[in-house]
């Protein structure tokens, strides 16, 4: 935890503001005062890649704080769903993983926003029965490549049901963080859509979306005194062939 001190210039900086011990965000970005854990039928497991270091804009821990039955684990691999969750799971097939493959709801013949798919990326039969029987959700937190690394390192996910989403709008991140696909969402948006949709509880989605928007508003406000918070552009790779000497 960083120590609070008076900067020489009189302007606040990220290093001089205490972190919140609950959400681990800078106090200027913390919204814990408005977060009350929600009781839900569906459990939540968030697996975060250890190299996901964006504490300013990241939403994994904030998402977990919103639910009474949520677990956040940081690492690369676990031997089973039970080990990752920390308790026995009698039937992993009743847990769903938000799948990161090429399948998109827009390419399927359905008007559903949450779709269960098989290993070939095709729609499962009996969508209503499958989705109604889901007891838990697994979300992978990190960049697109980090999340895919988590997928490939945890073979037990093949025992879980795969689901994909069709968001009604792009991620609320906007220009702050660009998603690699139009249907890409933050962890908190994905949890809102999945748990709120599967439980048919719009109040869950509304509370998570509201928290996310408040966090983003505080982030934009803090940038005026902490310019170092501004998202750093990733260097573009040069694919041009180098001329031989």
């Amino acid at each position: 935890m960083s120590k609070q001190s008076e900067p020489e210039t009189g302007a606040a900086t990220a290093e001089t503001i205490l972190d919140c011990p609950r959400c681990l965000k800078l106090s200027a970005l913390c919204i814990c005062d408005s977060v009350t854990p929600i009781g839900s039928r569906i459990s939540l497991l968030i697996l975060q890649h250890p190299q996901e270091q964006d504490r300013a804009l990241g939403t994994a821990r904030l998402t977990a704080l919103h639910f009474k039955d949520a677990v956040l684990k940081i690492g690369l691999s676990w031997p089973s769903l039970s080990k990752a969750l920390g308790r026995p799971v009698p039937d992993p097939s009743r847990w769903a993983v938000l799948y990161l493959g090429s399948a998109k709801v827009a390419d399927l013949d359905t008007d559903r926003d949450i779709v269960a798919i098989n290993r070939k990326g095709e729609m499962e039969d009996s969508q209503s029965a499958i989705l109604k029987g889901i007891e838990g959700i697994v979300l992978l937190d990190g960049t697109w490549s980090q999340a895919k690394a988590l997928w490939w390192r945890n073979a037990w996910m093949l025992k879980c049901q795969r689901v994909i989403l069709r968001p009604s709008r792009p991620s609320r991140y906007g220009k702050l963080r660009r998603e690699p696909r139009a249907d890409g969402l933050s962890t908190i948006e994905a949890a809102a859509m999945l748990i709120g949709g599967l439980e048919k509880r719009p109040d869950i989605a509304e509370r998570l979306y509201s928290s996310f928007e408040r966090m983003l508003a505080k982030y934009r406000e803090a940038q005026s005194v902490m310019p170092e918070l501004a998202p750093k552009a990733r260097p573009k790779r040069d694919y041009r062939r180098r001329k031989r000497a």
Side-chain angles (χ1 to χ4, degrees):
M1 184 176 293
S2 59
K3 295 182 179 179
Q4 192 170 19
S5 60
E6 188 69 25
E8 294 180 1
T9 61
T13 64
E15 288 75 15
T16 63
I17 299 180
L18 292 172
D19 293 347
C20 169
R22 190 176 179 217
C23 68
L24 302 187
K25 290 187 180 294
L26 299 173
S27 60
L29 305 178
C30 173
I31 61 166
C32 286
D33 61 336
S34 63
V35 176
T36 302
I38 303 167
S40 60
R41 175 184 62 81
I42 296 174
S43 303
L44 175 63
L45 172 63
I46 302 174
L47 302 180
Q48 185 180 67
H49 194 285
Q51 293 180 357
E52 172 58 35
Q53 299 294 327
D54 193 351
R55 290 192 300 128
L57 281 172
T59 64
R61 190 171 298 275
L62 179 62
T63 304
L65 289 174
H66 275 81
F67 294 95
K68 293 180 179 179
D69 187 8
V71 173
L72 169 64
K73 289 292 183 70
I74 302 173
L76 286 174
S77 63
W78 295 264
S80 66
L81 173 57
S82 295
K83 291 292 185 181
L85 191 61
R87 60 177 171 83
V89 179
D91 187 0
S93 69
R94 296 178 73 88
W95 277 68
V97 180
L98 183 58
Y99 185 54
L100 303 169
S102 59
K104 298 180 182 179
V105 176
D107 297 333
L108 303 176
D109 184 19
T110 181
D111 58 357
R112 291 178 176 271
D113 295 328
I114 304 173
V115 177
I117 60 172
N118 59 27
R119 294 190 182 186
K120 296 181 180 180
E122 303 166 340
M123 284 183 61
E124 295 271 23
D125 295 330
S126 305
Q127 287 286 315
S128 296
I130 292 174
L131 297 178
K132 186 177 180 179
I134 289 176
E135 298 176 350
I137 296 292
V138 180
L139 296 179
L140 309 180
D141 183 76
T143 64
W144 196 257
S145 60
Q146 289 169 354
K148 291 190 75 172
L150 287 170
W151 169 267
W152 289 112
R153 283 175 174 267
N154 293 277
W156 53 263
M157 291 187 193
L158 295 176
K159 299 178 181 180
C160 301
Q161 176 64 56
R162 302 181 189 188
V163 295
I164 54 177
L165 301 174
R166 175 168 51 193
S168 60
R169 53 162 290 174
S171 172
R172 289 163 175 78
Y173 271 131
K175 295 182 179 179
L176 291 177
R177 178 187 280 185
R178 295 187 181 279
E179 299 293 342
R181 286 176 24 171
D183 57 351
L185 296 174
S186 65
T187 298
I188 196 168
E189 290 171 306
M193 190 171 178
L194 273 168
I195 299 181
L198 291 173
E199 294 201 13
K200 300 187 184 305
R201 287 185 56 187
D203 62 296
I204 291 179
E206 289 169 4
R207 285 174 65 175
L208 267 66
Y209 291 146
S210 177
S211 289
F212 188 34
E213 289 172 348
R214 186 180 178 211
M215 186 201 86
L216 294 176
K218 295 197 74 171
Y219 179 90
R220 294 185 178 97
E221 181 181 355
Q223 279 187 291
S224 63
V225 293
M226 292 184 285
E228 61 271 28
L229 286 177
K232 296 177 176 58
R234 296 179 182 177
K236 295 182 179 180
R237 296 180 61 181
D238 188 355
Y239 293 97
R240 294 174 297 181
R241 295 182 179 178
R242 296 180 180 178
K243 294 181 179 180
R244 295 181 179 179

